[in-house]
């Protein structure tokens, strides 16, 4: 709905016969809403049990219960999360806020559709591409360093709040990264702009690790933009963004010998997962 999803980097699994199977470890969210009078609201566990019983035999891999959702597992490595919401019926046109049925925190105000509207009200096609670049970068860092980078939600908020428009994607991306760095150096905080508004989202992530990765990406961007050869410059981005950032069709010639290109190669936009 936001056009910011990217393909995941695959995992590989070898069976007892030595056959290698490719697994795609992405997850999709599909919210399940119960709309009723507040007095009819059930316990969080009741709703979770209803959903679990409905989907547990849907695949050969089954399903598992989590605090915020029921997760349906698929043989190719992906899963579909079913977060469960209760929404009080609206009366006299007065809007009600959906509540996430959280098994340990009870009912928590949460409205994913509100975030979608917030982002789409601010975004243009370039910003959506920048978010995909950031998500691909996050994916590559997590795979390469076996660590946990901030979520796609956090990166989307940071990119939106610090978007630095430019006719060239590479300069726009580099400048947006620098704006993000400037903000986080002052205070390592990213607040949710919608329900729960003001919620701090970076608390569980390592400031040292994220800022180190961000600094290296910015340095690569500076070097790429300054490079006289577009293809060699593209490779500097590719080192941090991964092979999905394609450089094969970028001109391999000095800028002094040909016209400079207007934008770097774009990550595959035919994406299937976050």
């Amino acid at each position: 709905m936001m056009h910011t999803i990217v393909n995941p980097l695959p995992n590989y699994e070898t069976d007892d016969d030595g056959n290698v199977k490719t697994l795609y470890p992405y997850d999709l969210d599909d919210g399940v809403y119960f709309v009723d009078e507040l007095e009819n609201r059930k316990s969080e566990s009741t709703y979770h049990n209803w959903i679990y019983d409905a989907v547990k035999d849907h695949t050969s891999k089954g399903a598992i219960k989590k605090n915020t959702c029921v997760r349906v597992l698929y043989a190719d490595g992906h899963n579909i999360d079913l977060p469960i919401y209760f929404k009080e019926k609206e009366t006299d046109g007065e809007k009600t806020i959906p509540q996430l049925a959280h098994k340990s925190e009870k009912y928590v105000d949460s409205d994913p559709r509100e975030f979608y509207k917030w982002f789409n009200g601010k975004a243009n096609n370039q910003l959506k591409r920048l978010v995909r670049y950031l998500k691909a970068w996050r994916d590559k860092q997590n795979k390469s360093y076996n660590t946990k980078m901030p979520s796609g939600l956090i990166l989307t908020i940071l990119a939106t709040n610090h978007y630095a428009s430019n006719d060239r994607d590479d300069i726009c991306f580099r400048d947006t990264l620098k704006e993000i760095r400037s903000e986080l150096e002052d205070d390592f905080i990213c607040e949710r702009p919608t329900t729960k508004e003001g919620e701090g989202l970076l608390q569980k992530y390592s400031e040292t690790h994220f800022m180190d990765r961000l600094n290296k990406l910015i340095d690569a961007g500076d070097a790429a933009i300054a490079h006289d050869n577009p293809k060699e410059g593209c490779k500097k981005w590719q080192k941090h963004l991964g092979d999905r950032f394609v450089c094969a069709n970028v001109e391999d010639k000095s800028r002094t010998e040909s016209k400079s290109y207007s934008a770097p190669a774009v990550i595959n936009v035919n994406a299937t997962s976050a």
Side-chain angles (χ1 to χ4, degrees):
M1 293 178 72
M2 292 165 55
H3 302 286
T4 59
I5 290 173
V6 298
N7 287 314
L9 290 171
N11 291 328
Y12 301 97
E13 183 180 271
T14 305
D15 62 22
D16 294 337
D17 298 325
N19 299 314
V20 178
K21 182 178 181 180
T22 303
L23 301 177
Y24 297 94
Y26 64 83
D27 68 85
L28 299 175
D29 291 347
D30 194 359
V32 180
Y33 289 77
F34 292 90
V35 182
D36 204 345
E37 304 292 347
L38 184 59
E39 61 189 29
N40 295 328
R41 188 177 69 180
K42 312 297 183 186
S43 70
E44 306 83 29
S45 294
T46 296
Y47 290 127
H48 277 252
N49 289 337
W50 285 355
I51 300 301
Y52 177 78
D53 289 341
V55 302
K56 64 182 180 181
D57 298 320
H58 182 66
T59 73
S60 61
K61 291 289 186 178
I64 57 176
K65 297 177 181 178
K66 300 180 72 68
N67 274 335
T68 60
C69 68
V70 173
R71 174 168 291 177
V72 183
L73 308 173
Y74 288 80
D76 70 353
H78 86 275
N79 59 73
I80 294 180
D81 287 344
L82 302 173
I84 301 159
Y85 299 87
F86 177 85
K87 190 175 188 299
E88 185 181 357
K89 283 186 176 179
E90 298 175 357
T91 57
D92 300 325
E94 184 175 345
K95 290 187 176 182
T96 58
I97 298 174
Q99 294 180 309
L100 178 66
H102 196 296
K103 289 175 66 177
S104 64
E105 298 180 14
K106 304 300 181 183
Y107 283 100
V108 179
D109 287 349
S110 178
D111 193 350
R113 290 179 296 181
E114 188 182 20
F115 182 80
Y116 148 73
K117 292 176 183 177
W118 173 83
F119 176 77
N120 277 7
K122 296 175 176 290
N124 56 31
N125 288 333
Q126 185 177 58
L127 176 56
K128 292 175 182 180
R129 290 196 298 272
L130 259 59
V131 172
R132 293 198 293 269
Y133 298 155
L134 281 167
K135 287 183 176 181
W137 169 64
R138 167 187 177 268
D139 200 9
K140 174 72 161 55
Q141 303 310 301
N142 281 340
K143 185 76 71 172
S144 298
Y145 297 95
N146 194 28
T147 188
K148 192 171 181 63
M149 292 280 283
S151 68
L153 172 70
I154 292 171
L155 296 177
T156 301
I157 295 170
L158 290 173
T160 304
N161 288 343
H162 301 288
Y163 171 58
S165 176
N166 191 284
D167 289 341
R168 283 175 48 167
D169 271 17
D170 53 353
I171 294 176
C172 173
F173 188 41
R174 189 273 313 272
D175 290 351
T176 298
L177 294 172
K178 288 186 175 182
E179 291 294 326
I180 291 172
R181 179 174 65 183
S182 178
E183 176 72 18
L184 295 183
E185 282 178 338
D186 289 339
D187 203 349
F188 192 69
I189 289 176
C190 177
E191 293 185 342
R192 188 189 295 270
T194 57
T195 310
K196 299 175 170 182
E197 192 167 347
E199 177 187 10
L201 300 174
L202 276 172
Q203 297 173 354
K204 63 181 180 180
Y205 297 99
S206 167
E207 177 178 356
T208 300
H209 177 73
F210 179 71
M211 296 304 290
D212 176 67
R213 296 290 93 205
L214 180 60
N215 283 328
K216 285 181 169 57
L217 180 60
I218 291 171
D219 288 345
D222 281 337
I225 291 167
H227 206 289
D228 186 54
N229 183 300
K231 194 178 193 73
E232 293 305 313
C234 183
K235 290 178 182 178
K236 293 184 181 298
W237 283 118
Q238 190 180 58
K239 179 180 178 181
H240 297 268
L241 298 176
D243 293 339
R244 292 174 295 175
F245 190 83
V246 181
C247 294
N249 60 343
V250 178
E251 190 175 32
D252 187 9
K253 186 181 291 185
S254 169
R255 293 180 194 272
T256 59
E257 299 173 14
S258 63
K259 295 193 305 182
S260 84
Y261 63 111
S262 61
V266 178
I267 296 168
N268 179 15
V269 297
N270 297 318
T272 56
S273 80

